[in-house]
Amino acid sequence: MAEEPEEGEENQFRAARLQKLAALKALGVDPYPYEWPRSAEAKELEARYAELPPDAVTEDRVSVAGRVRAIRNSGMFIDLYDASGKIQIFSDRKSLDEAQLALLGLLDLGDIIGVEGIVRRTRRGELTVNASRIAVLAKALLPLPEKYHGLADLETRYRQRYLDLIMNEESRAVLQKRSRIIATMRRLLIDRGFLEVETPMLHVIPGGATAKPFVTHHNALDMQLYLRIAPELHLKRLLVGGLSDRLFEINRNFRNEGISPRHNPEFTSLELYQAYVDYGAMMDLTETLIAEIAREVLGETRIRYGEREIEFAGPWPRESMAALVKRETGVDFLTIAADEDARAAARRLKIEVADGAGWGRALEAVFAARVEAKLVQPIHVTGFPREISPLAKTDRGDPRLTERFETYINGWEVANAFSEINDPLDQQQRFEAQMAERERGDEEAQRLDADYVQALEYGMPPAGGLGIGIDRLVMLLTDSPSIRDVIAFPTMRPKG
RNA sequence: GAGCCCGUAGCUCAGCCGGUAGAGCACUUGACUUUUAAUCAAGGGGUCGCGGGUUCGAAUCCCGCCGGGCUCACCA
């Protein structure tokens, strides 16, 4: 691409622009000045002069700035875009001096300029600034993609996101909405008394989730560190400390796993903990948060995703994994006791399960294969097997299960929550069971974090914990088909 | 990791039953003082992703590699 100087020098577009750059400098113009005293943005002017009739001229002098996106009539008309929108610039040969006319002739599509002049509306109804002064604020050396079709190539859009943002309004809108979604989430939580905290990205023991970590090395300490797969265990240490009885973190997690339209190696999650409540409170909070965010950002709770319509207004149904599996397959796992019978039941449904898999894994495998994709409208799936939930409290009514739920929307897991284990001896045993699985070859089984268990030994209040995958939530709220559309710089294999 | 599809000018795309590469926009030069995908005239621009093979001849057919997309598997 154009980053390589040799190639760039040969580029006809760049060569022509370098000549113009030299010509500007010869005119005594600094093509990269330090500032421009802007007085208005395009959208602001559009609103302020909404009532200005065609052919009307004001005496209002404004100063605007932005990127040149279209030049018509040899520079007489320029479409100038700032982050808020478009404003047309009119340059009258008769009212600009020689130097300004020369500068006008050296402008290219893509240049960032500042313009000062009076506001008027043209006969054809276009709000326009009549330029009395034009300044180059940043000379562009490379051409923009085609103005009408824009930038369509997905690879270029992800690799050179700035070009995508310049050319595609929808891409801008998606990332702007992402920001508003997160800001709204943060505000709602702070309004409810939650304290925002930051916990380490570099972990000695990667815990809090079942996933493969990225490994790194600290030179001074000469030790292996892991990028975190979840903030969970540190957030609960803060709960032990009583920093706050309600706390949350919105931040990145890193998982060394596959890339897909719904998976990026680094992704953003909300994780929160509330003392003295159980997972039921987390269900209430999940549906309130997500519905409120939709209302705030989209103005309604009914969203469209592709061909589907999804209603976010609560309350959402709450059903157990086993009940959903039974409804879908007719098989009631709750009546099956032995692990081997559970495996056999799954296999009768043509679902693969490992030979060592227990009752819980078999149930989950059937749920994943037969039920998940059908959970389009929001639903809290409860009754997660203990076997796959090493940080969740045992279900009050059934020792095979935990007080854990995952919220599904559009067939995706969007939230994961439970009543947190605060019994250190229970937690120790759960970790040991995970370690045993690890030794049997499950490299994603969770590792024993003795320091965390020690923290629990000082006493952690009973608490509900909740994690929400923000990227997927943004996908739903922006009708984006790929997670790469909602992450400004998705992970890509380097080119060449 | 597996299967299917894609990669041609700066961009958007045609060409792909093999015969020496095309359009629109963009660019250069000129015309044009009320345009808005401005218009009109002329011109320049391509190792057809990379490497190998088949052939008198390859953008086109075959093989390998690189990059991307989708689906599946793992996962949020």
Side-chain angles (χ1 to χ4, degrees):
Chain A
M1 303 236 88
E3 285 89 12
E4 294 180 30
E6 305 149 309
E7 212 176 318
E9 303 293 347
E10 287 162 15
N11 181 307
Q12 54 163 328
F13 303 97
R14 188 161 185 273
R17 284 160 184 251
L18 282 172
Q19 282 186 9
K20 291 180 184 175
L21 183 75
L24 284 169
K25 286 178 178 168
L27 287 171
V29 171
D30 175 3
Y32 302 100
Y34 290 81
E35 58 177 345
W36 174 257
R38 178 163 68 157
S39 72
E41 292 186 40
K43 194 175 175 186
E44 203 182 325
L45 292 176
E46 202 60 68
R48 196 190 306 168
Y49 295 102
E51 304 301 317
L52 189 68
D55 227 6
V57 182
T58 73
E59 295 189 344
D60 306 342
R61 178 163 295 271
V62 298
S63 170
V64 295
R67 191 182 295 277
V68 174
R69 292 289 306 280
I71 301 176
R72 294 180 290 279
N73 293 56
S74 306
M76 185 163 39
F77 296 97
I78 289 173
D79 285 345
L80 194 67
Y81 279 78
D82 62 25
S84 75
K86 179 185 106 173
I87 180 75
Q88 180 171 263
I89 306 302
F90 177 78
S91 296
D92 188 346
R93 255 182 224 159
K94 293 165 199 141
S95 60
L96 287 175
D97 64 28
E98 284 295 313
Q100 288 279 287
L101 282 174
L103 182 147
L104 187 62
L106 294 169
L107 292 183
D108 284 301
L109 296 186
D111 289 353
I112 294 173
I113 64 171
V115 177
E116 198 182 299
I118 56 126
V119 177
R120 71 179 176 102
R121 195 175 289 283
T122 64
R123 195 173 305 160
R124 308 240 179 148
E126 188 79 23
L127 192 67
T128 298
V129 173
N130 264 14
S132 56
R133 183 177 160 229
I134 302 173
V136 176
L137 305 180
K139 182 70 187 163
L141 299 182
L142 290 170
L144 292 177
E146 203 243 14
K147 64 184 173 188
Y148 187 56
H149 298 92
L151 181 64
D153 183 68
L154 276 179
E155 187 174 348
T156 310
R157 287 180 50 203
Y158 297 145
R159 286 187 193 280
Q160 294 176 271
R161 180 66 89 181
Y162 47 90
L163 282 181
D164 180 37
L165 291 171
I166 292 169
M167 300 308 298
N168 298 318
E169 197 184 339
E170 316 80 63
S171 298
R172 269 198 311 276
V174 165
L175 291 179
Q176 286 166 353
K177 262 185 203 165
R178 179 190 177 106
S179 178
R180 292 212 302 278
I181 288 163
I182 294 172
T184 303
M185 178 179 275
R186 181 171 273 126
R187 203 201 67 228
L188 291 171
L189 289 170
I190 289 170
D191 285 352
R192 282 167 173 71
F194 283 84
L195 184 80
E196 182 169 16
V197 298
E198 292 174 276
T199 62
M201 292 284 162
L202 295 174
H203 284 190
V204 177
I205 298 168
T210 304
K212 292 193 203 79
F214 285 92
V215 185
T216 188
H217 183 264
H218 189 276
N219 289 341
L221 295 177
D222 188 23
M223 67 181 295
Q224 184 165 281
L225 288 171
Y226 301 88
L227 297 188
R228 77 180 195 187
I229 55 176
E232 171 150 358
L233 302 185
H234 285 89
L235 289 170
K236 286 192 284 195
R237 283 177 173 96
L238 293 178
L239 210 55
V240 169
L243 178 66
S244 170
D245 286 338
R246 297 163 191 234
L247 40 85
F248 74 100
E249 176 164 9
I250 294 175
N251 225 323
R252 222 69 63 80
N253 293 326
F254 305 86
R255 298 190 185 172
N256 207 338
E257 287 162 356
I259 294 178
S260 86
R262 275 179 295 288
H263 299 87
N264 196 64
E266 51 178 310
F267 65 99
T268 302
S269 72
L270 160 72
E271 210 164 284
L272 68 80
Y273 294 87
Q274 179 173 351
Y276 309 116
V277 299
D278 68 7
Y279 75 148
M282 296 298 102
M283 291 188 222
D284 297 340
L285 186 55
T286 301
E287 49 195 60
T288 307
L289 273 180
I290 292 179
E292 271 299 311
I293 288 167
R295 215 170 273 130
E296 181 88 15
V297 176
L298 303 179
E300 54 184 345
T301 56
R302 191 171 188 79
I303 66 136
R304 195 176 53 77
Y305 187 82
E307 303 293 299
R308 292 169 169 171
E309 291 220 334
I310 299 174
E311 177 57 64
F312 280 176
W316 299 346
R318 304 173 180 194
E319 292 195 73
S320 80
M321 182 182 282
L324 289 163
V325 164
K326 185 183 175 189
R327 187 184 313 157
E328 197 60 47
T329 66
V331 179
D332 186 356
F333 273 78
L334 295 178
T335 64
I336 300 173
D339 289 346
E340 55 177 306
D341 294 340
R343 287 195 294 273
R347 285 169 181 162
R348 272 196 298 277
L349 295 165
K350 308 243 187 299
I351 292 157
E352 283 185 39
V353 282
D355 285 337
W359 177 85
R361 282 193 192 282
L363 170 58
E364 188 208 23
V366 176
F367 171 77
R370 290 297 179 80
V371 181
E372 260 185 31
K374 299 186 173 173
L375 304 177
V376 174
Q377 299 302 320
I379 181 173
H380 302 300
V381 178
T382 62
F384 269 66
R386 217 175 109 102
E387 191 181 340
I388 57 168
S389 311
L391 299 166
K393 266 194 165 152
T394 304
D395 187 278
R396 271 164 267 200
D398 188 335
R400 294 171 295 181
L401 305 177
T402 55
E403 296 207 353
R404 172 184 177 188
F405 72 91
E406 288 188 350
T407 303
Y408 281 81
I409 305 177
N410 196 44
W412 307 342
E413 181 198 333
V414 168
N416 178 23
F418 26 94
S419 300
E420 304 293 337
I421 293 180
N422 63 338
D423 173 349
L425 303 179
D426 183 13
Q427 187 63 75
Q428 175 74 25
Q429 283 168 8
R430 304 290 199 98
F431 274 141
E432 280 166 4
Q434 289 288 305
M435 292 305 279
E437 292 210 23
R438 217 178 163 69
E439 269 156 41
R440 283 201 294 273
D442 180 359
E443 56 178 312
E444 291 196 358
Q446 298 194 16
R447 304 168 205 225
L448 175 71
D449 189 335
D451 182 78
Y452 173 68
V453 175
Q454 184 184 37
L456 291 186
E457 295 207 345
Y458 284 97
M460 182 177 89
L466 166 67
I468 293 181
I470 289 183
D471 306 280
R472 288 183 178 180
L473 181 61
V474 175
M475 286 173 71
L476 288 169
L477 291 170
T478 57
D479 193 18
S480 297
S482 170
I483 197 168
R484 296 180 202 100
D485 298 324
V486 303
I487 295 173
F489 300 101
T491 305
M492 301 282 280
R493 195 192 296 270
K495 206 174 179 179

